């Protein structure tokens, strides 16, 4: 895959992550200014994930029919518009509409970008290129809150306008630098021959196993991440500075492993074994969190959590892109839906478990990860 298309895709992924995380430190104050509270904030969080869950397969299927570049472009420019609306919002309902639009359109860019990498990468490069997209997302997530906090010191609306401007720049670069990855003749053929029966048979085979593993991995990750901040305070009494250091280390390890190590590791061990190792590490992390006794031990365990996430998610996406054939966009949409659905369900389950016993979410997530290990082991043994 050429450097210019990969650069444009990395930028698009970075922008989506930056726009998502840029508003994290601003939202509570923004909501307070509009007279909204925790319930409204919960709705904004839920509608974003729900919109992505519903729309991702639709965008993926559309990218199979009309091409990846138009879908990526629509997602980026639409995302810029949604952030601009956030900056102009004068009521909660304006925020709600803007956040819904943001979820709908960000899923377009994410799904089509993954499908584009699957189209354009040689087989031995897929995991590396998928990991680079993940690293770009991690950089955006790490920089976003810091940048948002600085800009909010001048104006609460400034982070949103800045995100909109960055998104528009990314749109220009996508339009000018990114060639289409699907030939027009191939697109016309796909419009005539889309076979739902063939797609269903794929979902009942190895493709279905990969999608199930994507759901399990994202479920465990989201469940653990959603409750861990509270766990730090209740169990250890960590300060905001200590918690910030842990999350910064997490992001740093993700960037390094995804950007430089996942590809070489996949070549040495093979995709399926690397996925098995990653899911097993996730189970170890969940159980080890119960045994942590302080800042240093938490830092070590969370570093392993970052490694497991960095090697598992991009490798699963690379495996899916290999079996997807002409339905690559559609199946990447299903993969996005599996991940987003976990973001809706896992935090709710973890929250209820936490109210019963603060260690229980980690035990349950560890057990679910072990189920994933068993499924992956069976998958490896299948011919």
């Amino acid at each position: 895959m050429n450097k210019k298309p990969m650069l444009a895709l990395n930028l698009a992924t970075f922008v989506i992550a930056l726009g998502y995380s840029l508003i994290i430190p601003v939202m509570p104050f923004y909501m307070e200014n509009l007279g909204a509270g925790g319930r409204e904030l919960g709705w904004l969080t839920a509608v974003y994930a729900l919109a992505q869950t519903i729309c991702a397969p639709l965008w993926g299927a559309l990218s199979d029919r009309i091409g990846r570049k138009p879908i990526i472009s629509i997602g980026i420019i639409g995302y810029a518009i949604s952030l601009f609306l956030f900056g102009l919002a004068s009521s909660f309902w304006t925020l709600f509409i803007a956040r819904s639009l943001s979820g709908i359109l960000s899923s377009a860019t994410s799904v089509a970008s993954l499908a584009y990498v699957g189209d354009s990468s040689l087989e031995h490069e897929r995991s590396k290129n998928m990991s680079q997209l993940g690293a770009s997302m991690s950089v955006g997530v790490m920089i976003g809150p810091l940048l948002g906090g600085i800009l909010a010191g001048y104006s609460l609306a400034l982070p949103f306008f800045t995100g909109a401007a960055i998104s528009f720049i990314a749109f220009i670069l996508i339009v000018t630098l990114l060639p289409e990855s699907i030939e027009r003749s191939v697109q016309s053929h796909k419009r005539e021959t889309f076979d739902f029966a063939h797609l269903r048979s794929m979902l009942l085979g190895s493709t279905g196993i990969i999608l199930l593993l994507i759901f399990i991995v994202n479920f465990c990750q989201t469940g653990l991440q959603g409750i861990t901040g509270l766990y730090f305070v209740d169990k250890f009494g960590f300060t905001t500075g200590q918690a910030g250091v842990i999350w910064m280390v997490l992001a740093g390890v993700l960037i390094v492993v995804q950007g430089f190590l996942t590809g070489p590791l996949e070549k040495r061990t093979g995709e399926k074994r690397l996925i098995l190792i990653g899911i097993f590490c996730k189970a170890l992390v969940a159980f080890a969190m119960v045994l942590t006794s302080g800042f240093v031990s938490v830092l070590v365990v969370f570093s392993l959590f970052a490694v497991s996430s960095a090697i598992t998610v991009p490798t699963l996406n690379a495996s899916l892109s290999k079996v997807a054939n002409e339905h690559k966009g559609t199946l990447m949409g299903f993969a996005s839906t599996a991940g987003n659905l976990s973001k809706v369900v896992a935090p709710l389950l973890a929250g209820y478990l936490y109210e019963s016993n603060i260690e229980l979410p980690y035990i349950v997530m560890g057990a679910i990860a072990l189920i994933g290990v068993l499924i992956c082991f069976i998958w490896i043994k299948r011919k």
Side-chain angles (χ1 to χ4, degrees):
M1 188 172 179
N2 294 332
K3 290 184 178 180
K4 281 187 177 180
M6 198 64 214
L7 175 63
L9 285 175
N10 283 330
L11 180 60
T13 304
F14 168 78
V15 165
I16 293 297
L18 183 68
Y20 175 79
S21 60
L22 191 71
I23 65 174
I24 290 175
V26 185
M27 280 304 295
F29 304 99
Y30 212 67
M31 297 287 289
E32 184 179 359
N33 279 0
L34 296 176
R39 182 176 59 183
E40 289 82 3
L41 184 59
W43 272 107
L44 286 183
T45 303
V47 75
Y48 181 85
L50 185 60
Q52 287 191 320
T53 301
I54 295 171
C55 295
L58 304 178
W59 286 120
L62 191 58
S63 77
D64 284 335
R65 294 169 66 84
I66 68 172
R68 315 301 185 204
K69 183 176 178 177
I71 301 303
I72 295 173
S73 302
I74 290 170
I76 286 288
I77 193 63
Y79 199 59
I81 293 171
S82 70
L83 287 174
F84 189 74
L85 287 175
F86 255 97
L88 295 177
S90 57
S91 68
F92 169 73
W93 288 109
T94 310
L95 285 181
F96 187 84
I97 293 170
R99 197 58 171 163
S100 302
L101 183 64
S102 180
I104 291 169
L105 293 168
S106 65
S107 62
T109 299
S110 302
V111 168
S113 295
L114 289 173
Y116 190 104
V117 172
D119 295 332
S120 307
S121 301
L122 298 174
E123 187 167 324
H124 67 277
E125 293 180 332
R126 278 198 179 99
S127 291
K128 180 187 73 173
N129 290 338
M130 293 286 185
S131 297
Q132 286 183 7
L133 285 184
S136 299
M137 183 174 292
S138 298
V139 173
V141 169
M142 184 171 66
I143 294 176
L146 177 62
L147 179 61
I150 294 173
L151 294 174
Y154 298 94
S155 167
L156 286 179
L158 188 56
F160 303 103
F161 293 140
T162 302
I166 295 172
S167 298
F168 185 74
I169 294 171
F171 169 74
I172 298 299
L173 291 175
I174 288 291
V175 170
T176 55
L177 295 180
L178 194 69
E180 179 53 62
S181 63
I182 305 176
E183 296 180 6
R184 293 294 176 185
S185 60
V186 176
Q187 292 175 38
S188 300
H189 176 69
K190 285 178 183 178
R191 281 197 294 267
E192 296 170 0
T193 61
F194 191 85
D195 187 351
F196 286 99
H198 175 59
L199 183 61
R200 185 174 62 251
S201 67
M202 291 175 66
L203 292 174
L204 295 176
S206 293
T207 304
I209 293 176
I210 297 172
L211 290 172
L212 179 59
L213 290 175
I214 288 174
F215 176 81
I216 289 174
V217 166
N218 281 280
F219 191 93
C220 294
Q221 284 184 191
T222 309
L224 294 176
Q225 286 176 330
I227 208 68
T228 295
L230 193 58
Y231 186 77
F232 288 161
V233 176
D234 289 344
K235 184 173 181 178
F236 302 109
F238 285 171
T239 63
T240 54
Q242 288 174 307
V245 168
I246 292 171
W247 291 114
M248 285 288 288
V249 168
L250 175 68
V253 173
L254 273 171
I255 292 167
V256 171
V257 176
Q258 286 182 323
F260 303 102
L261 299 180
T262 300
L265 285 172
E266 185 270 329
K267 289 180 182 178
R268 292 180 64 89
T269 64
E271 285 182 350
K272 292 182 180 180
R273 288 187 177 85
L274 188 60
I275 292 167
L276 178 65
I277 292 169
I279 300 175
F280 183 71
C281 286
K282 204 167 294 296
L284 286 180
V285 165
F287 293 129
M289 277 299 293
V290 178
L291 304 176
T292 52
S293 57
F295 181 75
V296 175
S297 59
V298 168
L299 204 58
V300 171
V301 170
F302 249 62
S303 296
L304 181 60
F305 177 77
V307 171
S308 70
S309 301
I311 64 178
T312 307
V313 175
T315 310
L316 280 167
N317 286 330
S319 296
L320 186 62
S321 71
K322 289 180 181 179
V323 302
N325 299 321
E326 71 272 15
H327 301 310
K328 198 176 271 91
T330 303
L331 291 179
M332 285 301 175
F334 284 136
S336 181
T337 291
N340 290 322
L341 185 60
S342 71
K343 294 175 185 177
V344 177
V345 180
L348 293 174
L349 175 62
Y352 280 106
L353 292 172
Y354 191 86
E355 290 298 319
S356 176
N357 186 306
I358 65 171
E359 313 287 5
L360 195 55
Y362 298 96
I363 296 172
V364 172
M365 295 301 165
I368 292 173
L370 286 180
I371 294 173
V373 169
L374 178 61
I375 293 171
C376 191
F377 183 77
I378 295 171
W379 180 40
I380 292 173
K381 292 299 181 181
R382 286 179 57 179
K383 292 184 180 180

